[in-house]
mmCIF file of all heavy atoms in Angstrom:
data_model
loop_
_atom_site.group_PDB
_atom_site.id
_atom_site.type_symbol
_atom_site.label_atom_id
_atom_site.label_comp_id
_atom_site.label_asym_id
_atom_site.label_seq_id
_atom_site.Cartn_x
_atom_site.Cartn_y
_atom_site.Cartn_z
ATOM 1 N N GLY A 169 -11.493 -18.925 -34.237
ATOM 2 C CA GLY A 169 -10.212 -18.233 -34.296
ATOM 3 C C GLY A 169 -9.775 -17.934 -35.713
ATOM 4 O O GLY A 169 -8.598 -17.610 -35.956
ATOM 5 N N THR A 170 -10.701 -18.014 -36.669
ATOM 6 C CA THR A 170 -10.372 -17.765 -38.078
ATOM 7 C C THR A 170 -11.129 -16.572 -38.661
ATOM 8 O O THR A 170 -10.924 -16.221 -39.818
ATOM 9 C CB THR A 170 -10.696 -19.012 -38.936
ATOM 10 O OG1 THR A 170 -12.106 -19.289 -38.844
ATOM 11 C CG2 THR A 170 -9.912 -20.223 -38.443
ATOM 12 N N LEU A 171 -12.010 -15.943 -37.878
ATOM 13 C CA LEU A 171 -12.811 -14.841 -38.407
ATOM 14 C C LEU A 171 -11.915 -13.636 -38.680
ATOM 15 O O LEU A 171 -11.220 -13.141 -37.796
ATOM 16 C CB LEU A 171 -13.917 -14.462 -37.426
ATOM 17 C CG LEU A 171 -14.825 -13.297 -37.850
ATOM 18 C CD1 LEU A 171 -15.560 -13.633 -39.137
ATOM 19 C CD2 LEU A 171 -15.817 -12.954 -36.745
ATOM 20 N N LEU A 172 -11.948 -13.183 -39.909
ATOM 21 C CA LEU A 172 -11.137 -12.037 -40.320
ATOM 22 C C LEU A 172 -12.060 -10.854 -40.578
ATOM 23 O O LEU A 172 -12.936 -10.902 -41.448
ATOM 24 C CB LEU A 172 -10.353 -12.380 -41.594
ATOM 25 C CG LEU A 172 -9.284 -11.380 -42.044
ATOM 26 C CD1 LEU A 172 -8.170 -11.281 -40.997
ATOM 27 C CD2 LEU A 172 -8.702 -11.809 -43.389
ATOM 28 N N LEU A 173 -11.869 -9.796 -39.817
ATOM 29 C CA LEU A 173 -12.685 -8.603 -39.989
ATOM 30 C C LEU A 173 -12.229 -7.816 -41.207
ATOM 31 O O LEU A 173 -11.063 -7.843 -41.586
ATOM 32 C CB LEU A 173 -12.613 -7.728 -38.737
ATOM 33 C CG LEU A 173 -13.157 -8.340 -37.434
ATOM 34 C CD1 LEU A 173 -12.963 -7.372 -36.277
ATOM 35 C CD2 LEU A 173 -14.629 -8.703 -37.584
ATOM 36 N N SER A 174 -13.162 -7.088 -41.788
ATOM 37 C CA SER A 174 -12.875 -6.297 -42.980
ATOM 38 C C SER A 174 -11.747 -5.303 -42.716
ATOM 39 O O SER A 174 -11.746 -4.596 -41.709
ATOM 40 C CB SER A 174 -14.135 -5.545 -43.423
ATOM 41 O OG SER A 174 -13.872 -4.705 -44.516
ATOM 42 N N GLY A 175 -10.778 -5.282 -43.622
ATOM 43 C CA GLY A 175 -9.671 -4.342 -43.516
ATOM 44 C C GLY A 175 -8.534 -4.792 -42.628
ATOM 45 O O GLY A 175 -7.553 -4.064 -42.465
ATOM 46 N N GLU A 176 -8.639 -5.991 -42.042
ATOM 47 C CA GLU A 176 -7.589 -6.481 -41.156
ATOM 48 C C GLU A 176 -6.912 -7.715 -41.748
ATOM 49 O O GLU A 176 -7.502 -8.442 -42.557
ATOM 50 C CB GLU A 176 -8.160 -6.787 -39.764
ATOM 51 C CG GLU A 176 -8.753 -5.544 -39.093
ATOM 52 C CD GLU A 176 -8.909 -5.718 -37.590
ATOM 53 O OE1 GLU A 176 -8.462 -6.754 -37.052
ATOM 54 O OE2 GLU A 176 -9.470 -4.808 -36.958
ATOM 55 N N LYS A 177 -5.673 -7.934 -41.329
ATOM 56 C CA LYS A 177 -4.888 -9.053 -41.868
ATOM 57 C C LYS A 177 -4.751 -10.201 -40.880
ATOM 58 O O LYS A 177 -4.348 -11.301 -41.260
ATOM 59 C CB LYS A 177 -3.493 -8.550 -42.259
ATOM 60 C CG LYS A 177 -3.505 -7.500 -43.359
ATOM 61 C CD LYS A 177 -2.099 -7.041 -43.705
ATOM 62 C CE LYS A 177 -2.128 -5.998 -44.812
ATOM 63 N NZ LYS A 177 -0.749 -5.532 -45.158
ATOM 64 N N LYS A 178 -5.088 -9.945 -39.616
ATOM 65 C CA LYS A 178 -4.946 -10.966 -38.575
ATOM 66 C C LYS A 178 -6.315 -11.376 -38.080
ATOM 67 O O LYS A 178 -7.124 -10.537 -37.688
ATOM 68 C CB LYS A 178 -4.106 -10.415 -37.418
ATOM 69 C CG LYS A 178 -3.793 -11.432 -36.337
ATOM 70 C CD LYS A 178 -2.929 -10.809 -35.252
ATOM 71 C CE LYS A 178 -2.620 -11.798 -34.146
ATOM 72 N NZ LYS A 178 -1.790 -11.198 -33.071
ATOM 73 N N PRO A 179 -6.627 -12.689 -38.094
ATOM 74 C CA PRO A 179 -7.945 -13.130 -37.620
ATOM 75 C C PRO A 179 -8.117 -12.889 -36.125
ATOM 76 O O PRO A 179 -7.136 -12.762 -35.376
ATOM 77 C CB PRO A 179 -7.961 -14.622 -37.947
ATOM 78 C CG PRO A 179 -6.531 -15.019 -38.019
ATOM 79 C CD PRO A 179 -5.795 -13.822 -38.547
ATOM 80 N N LEU A 180 -9.358 -12.840 -35.699
ATOM 81 C CA LEU A 180 -9.663 -12.644 -34.288
ATOM 82 C C LEU A 180 -9.316 -13.887 -33.486
ATOM 83 O O LEU A 180 -9.376 -15.018 -33.987
ATOM 84 C CB LEU A 180 -11.154 -12.347 -34.109
ATOM 85 C CG LEU A 180 -11.685 -11.060 -34.725
ATOM 86 C CD1 LEU A 180 -13.205 -11.005 -34.575
ATOM 87 C CD2 LEU A 180 -11.049 -9.838 -34.079
ATOM 88 N N LEU A 181 -8.974 -13.678 -32.218
ATOM 89 C CA LEU A 181 -8.813 -14.805 -31.314
ATOM 90 C C LEU A 181 -10.172 -15.452 -31.071
ATOM 91 O O LEU A 181 -11.216 -14.809 -31.238
ATOM 92 C CB LEU A 181 -8.216 -14.332 -29.986
ATOM 93 C CG LEU A 181 -6.795 -13.781 -30.020
ATOM 94 C CD1 LEU A 181 -6.394 -13.247 -28.646
ATOM 95 C CD2 LEU A 181 -5.818 -14.854 -30.484
ATOM 96 N N PRO A 182 -10.202 -16.710 -30.670
ATOM 97 C CA PRO A 182 -11.479 -17.374 -30.387
ATOM 98 C C PRO A 182 -12.288 -16.602 -29.348
ATOM 99 O O PRO A 182 -11.745 -16.072 -28.378
ATOM 100 C CB PRO A 182 -11.051 -18.740 -29.851
ATOM 101 C CG PRO A 182 -9.711 -18.984 -30.458
ATOM 102 C CD PRO A 182 -9.060 -17.637 -30.515
ATOM 103 N N ALA A 183 -13.599 -16.529 -29.578
ATOM 104 C CA ALA A 183 -14.523 -15.862 -28.657
ATOM 105 C C ALA A 183 -15.642 -16.829 -28.309
ATOM 106 O O ALA A 183 -15.999 -17.700 -29.105
ATOM 107 C CB ALA A 183 -15.082 -14.594 -29.291
ATOM 108 N N LYS A 184 -16.189 -16.657 -27.095
ATOM 109 C CA LYS A 184 -17.250 -17.550 -26.630
ATOM 110 C C LYS A 184 -18.604 -16.834 -26.699
ATOM 111 O O LYS A 184 -18.739 -15.720 -26.212
ATOM 112 C CB LYS A 184 -16.984 -17.985 -25.183
ATOM 113 C CG LYS A 184 -15.678 -18.734 -24.987
ATOM 114 C CD LYS A 184 -15.458 -19.038 -23.506
ATOM 115 C CE LYS A 184 -14.111 -19.715 -23.261
ATOM 116 N NZ LYS A 184 -13.882 -19.959 -21.807
#
Side-chain angles (χ1 to χ4, degrees):
T170 61
L171 179 61
L172 189 64
L173 297 178
S174 176
E176 299 198 6
K177 297 180 180 180
K178 185 179 179 181
L180 296 174
L181 295 175
K184 300 176 183 178

